[in-house]
Amino acid sequence: MWSLIFKSAIGALVVLLIALLSRSKSFYIAGLVPLFPTFALIAHVIVQQAQGSEALQKTALFGLWSLIPYAVYLLLVYFLATKMPLWACLSLATLAWCVAA
């Protein structure tokens, strides 16, 4: 139970950090925060403990492949951000992420 509370608290802190950074002069750093492996660290510890080192290797490899759909998402956000409304831009980029994934 405590581990779930701890993980939830980490998630809440990450969201708070993103919100605070987005209002600062260095707003672009808010986009870097989700790339810090906060949740990957938790996932990797859990996978290692539950399944072992080979499963951890497979998880890391799968994580590398997941960078491709994320790159597709970011490229679309970059190119569409000034060409359409926010929600249309993010919806289209998310749909492209789903297709790429």
Coordinates of all heavy atoms in Angstrom, one line a residue:
M1 N 0.8 -1.2 0.0 CA 0.0 0.0 0.0 C 0.9 1.3 0.0 O 0.6 2.2 -0.7 CB -0.9 -0.1 1.2 CG -1.8 1.1 1.3 SD -3.0 1.2 0.0 CE -4.1 2.4 0.5
W2 N 1.9 1.3 0.8 CA 2.8 2.4 0.9 C 3.5 2.7 -0.4 O 3.8 3.8 -0.7 CB 3.8 2.3 2.1 CG 3.1 2.5 3.4 CD1 2.8 1.6 4.3 CD2 2.6 3.7 3.9 NE1 2.2 2.1 5.4 CE2 2.0 3.5 5.1 CE3 2.5 5.0 3.4 CZ2 1.4 4.5 5.9 CZ3 1.9 6.0 4.2 CH2 1.4 5.7 5.4
S3 N 3.8 1.6 -1.1 CA 4.5 1.8 -2.4 C 3.6 2.5 -3.4 O 4.1 3.3 -4.2 CB 5.0 0.5 -2.9 OG 3.9 -0.4 -3.3
L4 N 2.3 2.2 -3.4 CA 1.4 2.9 -4.3 C 1.2 4.4 -3.9 O 1.2 5.2 -4.8 CB 0.0 2.2 -4.2 CG -0.1 0.8 -4.8 CD1 -1.5 0.3 -4.6 CD2 0.2 0.9 -6.3
I5 N 1.2 4.7 -2.6 CA 1.1 6.1 -2.2 C 2.4 6.8 -2.6 O 2.4 7.9 -3.1 CB 0.9 6.1 -0.7 CG1 -0.5 5.6 -0.3 CG2 1.1 7.6 -0.2 CD1 -0.7 5.4 1.1
F6 N 3.6 6.2 -2.5 CA 4.8 6.8 -2.8 C 4.9 7.0 -4.3 O 5.2 8.1 -4.8 CB 6.0 5.8 -2.4 CG 7.3 6.3 -2.9 CD1 7.9 7.4 -2.3 CD2 8.0 5.6 -3.9 CE1 9.1 7.9 -2.7 CE2 9.3 6.1 -4.3 CZ 9.8 7.2 -3.7
K7 N 4.4 6.1 -5.2 CA 4.4 6.2 -6.6 C 3.5 7.3 -7.0 O 3.8 8.1 -7.9 CB 4.1 4.9 -7.3 CG 5.2 3.9 -7.1 CD 4.7 2.5 -7.6 CE 5.6 1.4 -7.0 NZ 5.1 0.1 -7.1
S8 N 2.3 7.4 -6.4 CA 1.4 8.5 -6.7 C 1.9 9.9 -6.3 O 1.7 10.8 -7.0 CB 0.1 8.3 -5.9 OG -0.5 7.1 -6.2
A9 N 2.7 9.9 -5.2 CA 3.3 11.2 -4.8 C 4.3 11.6 -5.8 O 4.4 12.8 -6.1 CB 3.9 11.0 -3.4
I10 N 5.1 10.7 -6.3 CA 6.1 11.0 -7.3 C 5.4 11.6 -8.6 O 5.8 12.6 -9.1 CB 7.0 9.8 -7.7 CG1 7.9 9.5 -6.5 CG2 7.8 10.1 -8.9 CD1 8.7 8.2 -6.7
G11 N 4.3 10.9 -9.0 CA 3.6 11.4 -10.1 C 3.1 12.8 -9.9 O 3.1 13.7 -10.8
A12 N 2.5 13.1 -8.8 CA 2.0 14.4 -8.4 C 3.1 15.4 -8.4 O 2.9 16.6 -8.9 CB 1.3 14.4 -7.1
L13 N 4.3 15.1 -7.9 CA 5.4 16.0 -7.9 C 5.9 16.4 -9.3 O 6.2 17.5 -9.6 CB 6.5 15.5 -7.1 CG 6.3 15.5 -5.5 CD1 7.4 14.7 -4.8 CD2 6.2 16.9 -5.0
V14 N 5.9 15.4 -10.2 CA 6.3 15.6 -11.6 C 5.3 16.6 -12.3 O 5.7 17.5 -12.9 CB 6.4 14.3 -12.3 CG1 6.6 14.5 -13.8 CG2 7.6 13.4 -11.8
V15 N 4.0 16.3 -12.1 CA 3.0 17.2 -12.6 C 3.2 18.6 -12.1 O 3.1 19.6 -12.8 CB 1.6 16.7 -12.4 CG1 0.5 17.7 -12.8 CG2 1.4 15.4 -13.2
L16 N 3.4 18.8 -10.8 CA 3.6 20.1 -10.2 C 4.8 20.8 -10.8 O 4.8 22.0 -11.1 CB 3.7 19.9 -8.7 CG 3.9 21.2 -7.9 CD1 2.7 22.2 -8.0 CD2 4.1 20.9 -6.4
L17 N 5.9 20.0 -10.9 CA 7.1 20.6 -11.5 C 6.9 21.1 -12.9 O 7.4 22.2 -13.3 CB 8.3 19.5 -11.5 CG 9.6 20.0 -12.0 CD1 10.2 21.2 -11.2 CD2 10.6 18.8 -11.9
I18 N 6.2 20.3 -13.7 CA 5.9 20.7 -15.1 C 5.1 22.0 -15.1 O 5.4 22.9 -15.9 CB 5.2 19.6 -15.8 CG1 6.1 18.4 -16.1 CG2 4.6 20.1 -17.2 CD1 5.4 17.1 -16.6
A19 N 4.1 22.1 -14.2 CA 3.2 23.3 -14.1 C 4.0 24.5 -13.7 O 3.9 25.6 -14.3 CB 2.1 23.0 -13.2
L20 N 4.9 24.3 -12.8 CA 5.7 25.5 -12.3 C 6.7 25.9 -13.4 O 6.9 27.1 -13.6 CB 6.5 25.1 -11.0 CG 5.6 24.9 -9.8 CD1 6.4 24.4 -8.6 CD2 4.9 26.3 -9.4
L21 N 7.4 25.0 -14.0 CA 8.3 25.3 -15.1 C 7.6 26.0 -16.3 O 8.2 26.8 -16.9 CB 9.1 24.1 -15.5 CG 10.2 23.6 -14.5 CD1 10.7 22.3 -15.0 CD2 11.3 24.6 -14.4
S22 N 6.4 25.5 -16.6 CA 5.7 26.1 -17.8 C 5.4 27.6 -17.6 O 5.2 28.3 -18.5 CB 4.5 25.3 -18.1 OG 3.5 25.5 -17.1
R23 N 5.4 28.0 -16.3 CA 5.1 29.5 -16.0 C 6.4 30.3 -15.9 O 6.3 31.5 -15.6 CB 4.2 29.5 -14.8 CG 2.8 29.0 -15.0 CD 2.0 29.1 -13.7 NE 0.7 28.8 -13.9 CZ 0.1 27.5 -14.0 NH1 0.9 26.5 -14.0 NH2 -1.1 27.4 -14.2
S24 N 7.5 29.7 -16.0 CA 8.8 30.4 -15.7 C 9.4 30.9 -17.1 O 8.9 30.6 -18.1 CB 9.8 29.4 -15.1 OG 10.3 28.5 -16.0
K25 N 10.5 31.6 -17.0 CA 11.2 32.1 -18.2 C 11.8 30.9 -18.9 O 11.9 31.0 -20.1 CB 12.4 33.0 -17.8 CG 11.9 34.4 -17.4 CD 13.2 35.2 -17.3 CE 13.1 36.2 -16.2 NZ 14.3 37.0 -16.0
S26 N 12.1 29.8 -18.3 CA 12.6 28.6 -18.9 C 11.5 27.6 -19.1 O 11.7 26.4 -18.8 CB 13.7 28.0 -18.0 OG 14.7 29.0 -17.7
F27 N 10.4 28.1 -19.7 CA 9.2 27.2 -20.0 C 9.5 26.0 -20.8 O 8.9 25.0 -20.6 CB 8.1 28.0 -20.6 CG 8.6 28.6 -22.0 CD1 8.4 27.9 -23.1 CD2 9.1 29.9 -22.0 CE1 8.9 28.4 -24.3 CE2 9.5 30.4 -23.2 CZ 9.4 29.7 -24.4
Y28 N 10.5 26.1 -21.7 CA 10.9 24.9 -22.5 C 11.4 23.7 -21.7 O 11.3 22.6 -22.2 CB 11.9 25.4 -23.6 CG 13.0 26.1 -23.1 CD1 14.2 25.5 -22.6 CD2 13.0 27.5 -23.0 CE1 15.2 26.2 -22.0 CE2 14.0 28.2 -22.5 CZ 15.1 27.6 -22.0 OH 16.2 28.3 -21.5
I29 N 11.9 24.0 -20.6 CA 12.4 22.9 -19.7 C 11.3 22.0 -19.3 O 11.4 20.8 -19.0 CB 13.2 23.4 -18.5 CG1 14.5 24.1 -19.1 CG2 13.6 22.3 -17.6 CD1 15.3 24.8 -18.0
A30 N 10.0 22.5 -19.2 CA 8.9 21.7 -18.8 C 8.7 20.6 -19.8 O 8.2 19.5 -19.4 CB 7.6 22.6 -18.9
G31 N 9.1 20.7 -21.0 CA 9.1 19.6 -22.0 C 10.1 18.5 -21.7 O 10.0 17.4 -22.2
L32 N 11.2 18.9 -21.0 CA 12.2 18.0 -20.7 C 11.9 17.1 -19.5 O 12.3 15.9 -19.4 CB 13.5 18.7 -20.4 CG 14.8 18.0 -20.2 CD1 15.1 17.2 -21.4 CD2 16.0 18.9 -19.9
V33 N 11.1 17.6 -18.6 CA 10.8 16.9 -17.3 C 10.2 15.5 -17.6 O 10.6 14.5 -17.0 CB 9.8 17.7 -16.4 CG1 9.3 16.9 -15.2 CG2 10.6 19.0 -15.9
P34 N 9.2 15.4 -18.5 CA 8.7 14.0 -18.7 C 9.7 13.0 -19.3 O 9.5 11.8 -19.2 CB 7.6 14.2 -19.8 CG 7.3 15.7 -19.7 CD 8.5 16.4 -19.3
L35 N 10.8 13.5 -19.8 CA 11.8 12.6 -20.3 C 12.8 12.1 -19.2 O 13.5 11.2 -19.5 CB 12.6 13.4 -21.4 CG 11.8 13.8 -22.6 CD1 12.7 14.6 -23.6 CD2 11.2 12.6 -23.3
F36 N 12.7 12.8 -18.1 CA 13.5 12.2 -17.0 C 12.9 10.9 -16.6 O 11.7 10.7 -16.5 CB 13.5 13.1 -15.7 CG 14.4 12.7 -14.6 CD1 15.7 12.8 -14.7 CD2 13.8 12.0 -13.6 CE1 16.6 12.4 -13.7 CE2 14.6 11.5 -12.5 CZ 16.0 11.7 -12.6
P37 N 13.7 9.9 -16.4 CA 13.2 8.5 -16.3 C 12.6 8.2 -14.9 O 12.8 7.1 -14.4 CB 14.4 7.6 -16.6 CG 15.6 8.4 -16.1 CD 15.2 9.9 -16.5
T38 N 11.8 9.1 -14.4 CA 11.2 8.9 -13.1 C 10.4 7.6 -13.1 O 10.6 6.7 -12.2 CB 10.2 10.1 -12.7 OG1 11.0 11.3 -12.8 CG2 9.6 9.9 -11.4
F39 N 9.4 7.5 -14.0 CA 8.6 6.3 -14.1 C 9.3 5.1 -14.6 O 9.0 4.0 -14.2 CB 7.3 6.6 -14.8 CG 6.5 7.8 -14.2 CD1 6.5 9.0 -14.9 CD2 5.9 7.6 -13.0 CE1 5.8 10.0 -14.3 CE2 5.2 8.7 -12.4 CZ 5.2 9.9 -13.1
A40 N 10.2 5.3 -15.5 CA 11.0 4.2 -16.0 C 11.8 3.6 -14.9 O 12.0 2.3 -14.8 CB 12.0 4.7 -17.1
L41 N 12.4 4.4 -14.0 CA 13.1 3.9 -12.8 C 12.3 3.0 -12.0 O 12.7 1.8 -11.6 CB 13.7 5.0 -12.0 CG 14.9 5.8 -12.6 CD1 15.1 7.0 -11.8 CD2 16.1 4.9 -12.7
I42 N 11.0 3.4 -11.7 CA 10.1 2.6 -10.9 C 9.8 1.3 -11.7 O 9.8 0.2 -11.1 CB 8.8 3.4 -10.6 CG1 9.2 4.6 -9.7 CG2 7.8 2.5 -10.0 CD1 8.0 5.6 -9.6
A43 N 9.5 1.5 -12.9 CA 9.1 0.3 -13.7 C 10.3 -0.7 -13.8 O 10.1 -1.9 -13.7 CB 8.7 0.7 -15.1
H44 N 11.5 -0.2 -14.0 CA 12.6 -1.1 -14.1 C 12.9 -1.8 -12.8 O 13.3 -3.0 -12.8 CB 13.9 -0.3 -14.6 CG 13.7 0.2 -16.0 ND1 14.5 1.2 -16.5 CD2 12.9 -0.2 -17.0 CE1 14.1 1.4 -17.7 NE2 13.2 0.6 -18.1
V45 N 12.8 -1.2 -11.7 CA 13.0 -1.8 -10.4 C 11.9 -2.9 -10.2 O 12.2 -4.1 -9.9 CB 12.9 -0.8 -9.2 CG1 12.8 -1.6 -7.9 CG2 14.1 0.1 -9.2
I46 N 10.7 -2.6 -10.6 CA 9.6 -3.6 -10.4 C 9.8 -4.8 -11.3 O 9.7 -6.0 -10.9 CB 8.2 -3.0 -10.7 CG1 7.9 -2.0 -9.5 CG2 7.1 -4.0 -10.8 CD1 6.7 -1.1 -9.8
V47 N 10.2 -4.5 -12.6 CA 10.4 -5.6 -13.6 C 11.6 -6.5 -13.1 O 11.5 -7.7 -13.1 CB 10.6 -5.1 -15.0 CG1 11.2 -6.1 -15.9 CG2 9.3 -4.5 -15.6
Q48 N 12.7 -5.9 -12.7 CA 13.8 -6.6 -12.2 C 13.5 -7.5 -11.1 O 13.9 -8.7 -11.0 CB 15.0 -5.6 -11.9 CG 16.1 -6.2 -11.1 CD 17.0 -7.2 -11.9 OE1 17.1 -7.0 -13.1 NE2 17.5 -8.2 -11.3
Q49 N 12.8 -7.0 -10.1 CA 12.4 -7.7 -8.9 C 11.4 -8.9 -9.2 O 11.5 -9.9 -8.7 CB 11.9 -6.8 -7.8 CG 12.9 -5.9 -7.3 CD 12.3 -4.9 -6.3 OE1 11.1 -4.7 -6.2 NE2 13.2 -4.3 -5.5
A50 N 10.5 -8.6 -10.2 CA 9.5 -9.6 -10.5 C 9.9 -10.6 -11.5 O 9.5 -11.8 -11.4 CB 8.2 -8.9 -10.9
Q51 N 10.7 -10.2 -12.5 CA 11.0 -11.1 -13.6 C 12.5 -11.4 -13.9 O 12.8 -12.2 -14.6 CB 10.4 -10.5 -14.9 CG 8.9 -10.2 -14.9 CD 8.2 -11.5 -14.9 OE1 8.6 -12.5 -15.5 NE2 7.0 -11.5 -14.3
G52 N 13.4 -10.5 -13.3 CA 14.8 -10.8 -13.5 C 15.5 -9.9 -14.5 O 14.8 -9.1 -15.2
S53 N 16.8 -10.1 -14.7 CA 17.6 -9.3 -15.6 C 17.2 -9.4 -17.0 O 17.3 -8.4 -17.8 CB 19.1 -9.6 -15.4 OG 19.5 -9.3 -14.1
E54 N 16.9 -10.6 -17.5 CA 16.6 -10.7 -18.9 C 15.3 -10.0 -19.3 O 15.2 -9.3 -20.3 CB 16.4 -12.2 -19.3 CG 17.7 -12.9 -19.3 CD 17.6 -14.4 -19.8 OE1 16.6 -14.7 -20.5 OE2 18.5 -15.2 -19.4
A55 N 14.3 -10.0 -18.4 CA 13.1 -9.2 -18.6 C 13.4 -7.7 -18.6 O 12.8 -7.0 -19.3 CB 12.1 -9.6 -17.5
L56 N 14.3 -7.3 -17.7 CA 14.7 -5.9 -17.6 C 15.4 -5.5 -19.0 O 15.1 -4.4 -19.5 CB 15.7 -5.7 -16.5 CG 16.2 -4.2 -16.3 CD1 15.0 -3.3 -16.1 CD2 17.1 -4.2 -15.1
Q57 N 16.2 -6.3 -19.5 CA 16.8 -6.0 -20.8 C 15.7 -5.9 -21.9 O 15.8 -4.9 -22.7 CB 17.7 -7.2 -21.3 CG 19.1 -7.1 -20.7 CD 20.0 -8.1 -21.3 OE1 19.6 -9.3 -21.5 NE2 21.2 -7.7 -21.6
K58 N 14.8 -6.8 -21.9 CA 13.7 -6.7 -22.9 C 12.9 -5.4 -22.7 O 12.4 -4.8 -23.7 CB 12.8 -7.9 -22.9 CG 13.5 -9.2 -23.4 CD 12.6 -10.4 -23.2 CE 13.3 -11.6 -23.7 NZ 12.6 -12.8 -23.4
T59 N 12.6 -5.0 -21.5 CA 11.9 -3.8 -21.2 C 12.7 -2.6 -21.7 O 12.1 -1.7 -22.2 CB 11.7 -3.7 -19.6 OG1 10.9 -4.9 -19.2 CG2 10.9 -2.5 -19.3
A60 N 14.0 -2.6 -21.5 CA 14.8 -1.5 -21.9 C 14.8 -1.4 -23.4 O 14.7 -0.3 -24.0 CB 16.2 -1.6 -21.4
L61 N 14.9 -2.5 -24.1 CA 14.8 -2.5 -25.6 C 13.5 -2.0 -26.1 O 13.4 -1.2 -27.0 CB 15.1 -3.9 -26.1 CG 15.2 -4.1 -27.6 CD1 16.3 -3.2 -28.2 CD2 15.4 -5.5 -28.0
F62 N 12.4 -2.4 -25.5 CA 11.1 -2.0 -25.8 C 11.0 -0.5 -25.6 O 10.4 0.3 -26.4 CB 10.0 -2.7 -25.0 CG 8.6 -2.4 -25.5 CD1 8.1 -2.9 -26.6 CD2 7.9 -1.4 -24.8 CE1 6.8 -2.6 -27.0 CE2 6.6 -1.1 -25.1 CZ 6.0 -1.7 -26.3
G63 N 11.6 0.0 -24.6 CA 11.6 1.5 -24.3 C 12.4 2.2 -25.4 O 11.9 3.3 -25.8
L64 N 13.4 1.7 -25.9 CA 14.1 2.3 -27.0 C 13.3 2.4 -28.2 O 13.2 3.4 -28.9 CB 15.4 1.5 -27.4 CG 16.6 1.7 -26.4 CD1 17.7 0.7 -26.7 CD2 17.1 3.2 -26.5
W65 N 12.5 1.4 -28.5 CA 11.6 1.4 -29.7 C 10.5 2.4 -29.5 O 10.0 3.0 -30.5 CB 11.0 0.0 -30.0 CG 12.0 -0.9 -30.7 CD1 12.7 -1.9 -30.1 CD2 12.4 -0.8 -32.1 NE1 13.5 -2.5 -31.1 CE2 13.3 -1.8 -32.3 CE3 12.1 0.0 -33.1 CZ2 13.9 -2.1 -33.5 CZ3 12.7 -0.2 -34.3 CH2 13.6 -1.2 -34.5
S66 N 10.1 2.7 -28.3 CA 9.0 3.6 -28.0 C 9.4 5.0 -28.3 O 8.6 5.9 -28.4 CB 8.6 3.5 -26.5 OG 9.6 4.1 -25.7
L67 N 10.7 5.3 -28.5 CA 11.2 6.6 -28.9 C 10.7 7.0 -30.3 O 10.5 8.2 -30.5 CB 12.7 6.7 -28.8 CG 13.3 6.6 -27.3 CD1 14.8 6.6 -27.4 CD2 12.7 7.6 -26.4
I68 N 10.5 6.1 -31.1 CA 10.0 6.4 -32.5 C 8.7 7.0 -32.5 O 8.5 8.1 -33.1 CB 10.1 5.1 -33.4 CG1 11.6 4.7 -33.5 CG2 9.5 5.4 -34.7 CD1 11.7 3.3 -34.2
P69 N 7.6 6.4 -31.9 CA 6.3 7.1 -31.8 C 6.4 8.5 -31.1 O 5.7 9.4 -31.5 CB 5.4 6.1 -31.1 CG 6.1 4.8 -31.2 CD 7.6 5.1 -31.3
Y70 N 7.2 8.6 -30.1 CA 7.4 9.8 -29.4 C 8.0 10.9 -30.3 O 7.6 12.1 -30.3 CB 8.2 9.7 -28.1 CG 8.2 10.9 -27.2 CD1 7.0 11.4 -26.7 CD2 9.3 11.6 -26.9 CE1 6.9 12.5 -25.9 CE2 9.3 12.7 -26.1 CZ 8.1 13.2 -25.6 OH 8.1 14.3 -24.8
A71 N 9.0 10.5 -31.1 CA 9.6 11.4 -32.1 C 8.5 11.9 -33.1 O 8.5 13.1 -33.5 CB 10.8 10.8 -32.8
V72 N 7.7 11.0 -33.6 CA 6.6 11.3 -34.5 C 5.7 12.4 -33.8 O 5.3 13.4 -34.5 CB 5.8 10.1 -34.9 CG1 4.5 10.4 -35.7 CG2 6.7 9.2 -35.8
Y73 N 5.3 12.1 -32.6 CA 4.4 13.0 -31.9 C 5.1 14.4 -31.8 O 4.5 15.4 -32.1 CB 4.2 12.5 -30.5 CG 3.5 13.5 -29.5 CD1 2.1 13.6 -29.6 CD2 4.2 14.2 -28.7 CE1 1.5 14.5 -28.7 CE2 3.6 15.1 -27.8 CZ 2.3 15.3 -27.9 OH 1.6 16.2 -27.0
L74 N 6.3 14.5 -31.4 CA 7.0 15.8 -31.2 C 7.2 16.5 -32.5 O 7.0 17.7 -32.6 CB 8.4 15.6 -30.5 CG 8.3 15.2 -29.0 CD1 9.8 15.0 -28.5 CD2 7.6 16.2 -28.2
L75 N 7.5 15.8 -33.6 CA 7.6 16.4 -34.9 C 6.3 17.1 -35.3 O 6.3 18.2 -35.8 CB 8.1 15.4 -35.9 CG 9.6 15.1 -35.8 CD1 10.0 13.9 -36.7 CD2 10.5 16.3 -36.2
L76 N 5.2 16.3 -35.1 CA 3.9 16.9 -35.5 C 3.6 18.1 -34.7 O 3.1 19.1 -35.2 CB 2.8 15.8 -35.5 CG 2.8 15.0 -36.7 CD1 1.8 13.8 -36.5 CD2 2.4 15.8 -37.9
V77 N 3.8 18.0 -33.4 CA 3.5 19.2 -32.5 C 4.4 20.4 -33.0 O 3.9 21.5 -33.1 CB 3.8 18.9 -31.0 CG1 3.8 20.2 -30.2 CG2 2.8 17.9 -30.5
Y78 N 5.6 20.1 -33.3 CA 6.5 21.2 -33.7 C 6.0 21.9 -35.0 O 5.9 23.1 -35.1 CB 7.9 20.6 -34.0 CG 8.9 21.7 -34.5 CD1 9.5 22.6 -33.6 CD2 9.2 21.7 -35.8 CE1 10.4 23.5 -34.1 CE2 10.1 22.7 -36.3 CZ 10.7 23.6 -35.4 OH 11.5 24.6 -35.9
F79 N 5.6 21.1 -36.0 CA 5.2 21.6 -37.3 C 3.8 22.2 -37.3 O 3.5 23.1 -38.0 CB 5.4 20.6 -38.4 CG 6.8 20.3 -38.8 CD1 7.4 19.1 -38.5 CD2 7.6 21.3 -39.3 CE1 8.7 18.8 -38.9 CE2 8.9 21.1 -39.6 CZ 9.5 19.9 -39.4
L80 N 2.9 21.7 -36.4 CA 1.5 22.1 -36.4 C 1.2 23.2 -35.4 O 0.1 23.8 -35.4 CB 0.6 20.9 -36.2 CG 0.7 19.8 -37.3 CD1 -0.2 18.6 -36.9 CD2 0.3 20.3 -38.7
A81 N 2.1 23.4 -34.4 CA 1.8 24.3 -33.3 C 1.4 25.7 -33.8 O 0.5 26.3 -33.1 CB 3.0 24.4 -32.4
T82 N 1.9 26.2 -34.8 CA 1.6 27.5 -35.3 C 0.6 27.5 -36.4 O 0.2 28.6 -36.9 CB 2.8 28.3 -35.8 OG1 3.5 27.5 -36.8 CG2 3.8 28.5 -34.6
K83 N 0.1 26.3 -36.9 CA -0.7 26.2 -38.0 C -2.2 25.9 -37.7 O -3.1 26.0 -38.5 CB -0.2 25.2 -39.0 CG 1.1 25.6 -39.6 CD 1.7 24.5 -40.5 CE 2.9 24.9 -41.2 NZ 3.9 25.7 -40.5
M84 N -2.4 25.4 -36.4 CA -3.8 25.1 -36.0 C -4.0 25.3 -34.5 O -3.0 25.4 -33.8 CB -4.1 23.6 -36.4 CG -3.1 22.6 -35.9 SD -3.5 20.9 -36.4 CE -4.0 21.0 -38.1
P85 N -5.2 25.3 -34.1 CA -5.5 25.4 -32.6 C -4.8 24.3 -31.8 O -4.6 23.2 -32.3 CB -7.0 25.3 -32.5 CG -7.5 25.6 -33.9 CD -6.5 25.1 -34.9
L86 N -4.6 24.6 -30.6 CA -3.9 23.7 -29.6 C -4.5 22.3 -29.6 O -3.8 21.3 -29.8 CB -3.9 24.3 -28.2 CG -3.4 23.3 -27.1 CD1 -1.9 23.1 -27.3 CD2 -3.7 23.9 -25.8
W87 N -5.8 22.2 -29.4 CA -6.4 20.9 -29.3 C -6.4 20.1 -30.6 O -6.2 18.9 -30.5 CB -7.8 21.0 -28.7 CG -7.7 21.5 -27.3 CD1 -8.2 22.7 -26.8 CD2 -7.1 20.9 -26.2 NE1 -7.9 22.9 -25.5 CE2 -7.2 21.8 -25.0 CE3 -6.5 19.7 -26.0 CZ2 -6.7 21.5 -23.8 CZ3 -6.0 19.4 -24.7 CH2 -6.1 20.3 -23.6
A88 N -6.5 20.8 -31.7 CA -6.4 20.1 -33.0 C -5.0 19.6 -33.2 O -4.8 18.4 -33.6 CB -6.8 21.0 -34.1
C89 N -4.0 20.4 -32.9 CA -2.6 20.0 -33.0 C -2.3 18.8 -32.1 O -1.7 17.8 -32.6 CB -1.7 21.2 -32.6 SG 0.0 20.9 -32.4
L90 N -2.6 18.9 -30.9 CA -2.3 17.8 -29.9 C -3.1 16.5 -30.2 O -2.6 15.4 -30.1 CB -2.6 18.2 -28.5 CG -1.7 19.4 -28.0 CD1 -2.0 19.7 -26.6 CD2 -0.2 19.1 -28.1
S91 N -4.3 16.7 -30.7 CA -5.1 15.5 -31.1 C -4.5 14.8 -32.3 O -4.4 13.6 -32.3 CB -6.6 15.9 -31.4 OG -7.2 16.4 -30.3
L92 N -4.1 15.6 -33.3 CA -3.5 15.0 -34.5 C -2.2 14.3 -34.1 O -1.9 13.2 -34.6 CB -3.4 16.0 -35.6 CG -3.0 15.5 -36.9 CD1 -4.0 14.5 -37.4 CD2 -2.9 16.7 -37.9
A93 N -1.4 15.0 -33.3 CA -0.1 14.4 -32.9 C -0.3 13.1 -32.1 O 0.5 12.2 -32.3 CB 0.7 15.5 -32.1
T94 N -1.3 13.1 -31.2 CA -1.6 11.9 -30.4 C -2.1 10.8 -31.3 O -1.6 9.6 -31.1 CB -2.6 12.3 -29.3 OG1 -2.1 13.3 -28.5 CG2 -2.9 11.0 -28.5
L95 N -2.9 11.1 -32.3 CA -3.3 10.1 -33.2 C -2.2 9.5 -34.0 O -2.0 8.3 -34.2 CB -4.4 10.7 -34.2 CG -4.9 9.7 -35.2 CD1 -5.7 8.6 -34.6 CD2 -5.8 10.5 -36.2
A96 N -1.2 10.4 -34.4 CA 0.0 9.9 -35.1 C 0.8 9.0 -34.2 O 1.4 8.1 -34.7 CB 0.8 11.1 -35.6
W97 N 0.9 9.4 -32.9 CA 1.6 8.6 -32.0 C 1.0 7.2 -31.9 O 1.7 6.2 -31.9 CB 1.6 9.2 -30.6 CG 2.4 8.4 -29.5 CD1 3.7 8.5 -29.2 CD2 1.8 7.3 -28.8 NE1 4.0 7.6 -28.2 CE2 2.9 6.8 -28.0 CE3 0.6 6.7 -28.7 CZ2 2.8 5.8 -27.1 CZ3 0.5 5.6 -27.8 CH2 1.5 5.2 -27.0
C98 N -0.3 7.1 -31.8 CA -1.1 5.8 -31.8 C -0.8 5.0 -33.0 O -0.5 3.8 -32.9 CB -2.5 6.1 -31.6 SG -3.0 6.7 -30.0
V99 N -0.8 5.6 -34.2 CA -0.5 4.9 -35.4 C 0.9 4.4 -35.4 O 1.2 3.2 -35.8 CB -0.8 5.8 -36.6 CG1 -0.3 5.1 -37.9 CG2 -2.3 6.1 -36.7
A100 N 1.9 5.3 -35.0 CA 3.3 4.9 -35.0 C 3.6 3.8 -34.0 O 4.4 2.9 -34.2 CB 4.1 6.1 -34.8
A101 N 2.8 3.8 -32.9 CA 3.1 2.8 -31.8 C 2.6 1.5 -32.3 O 3.0 0.4 -31.9 CB 2.4 3.3 -30.5

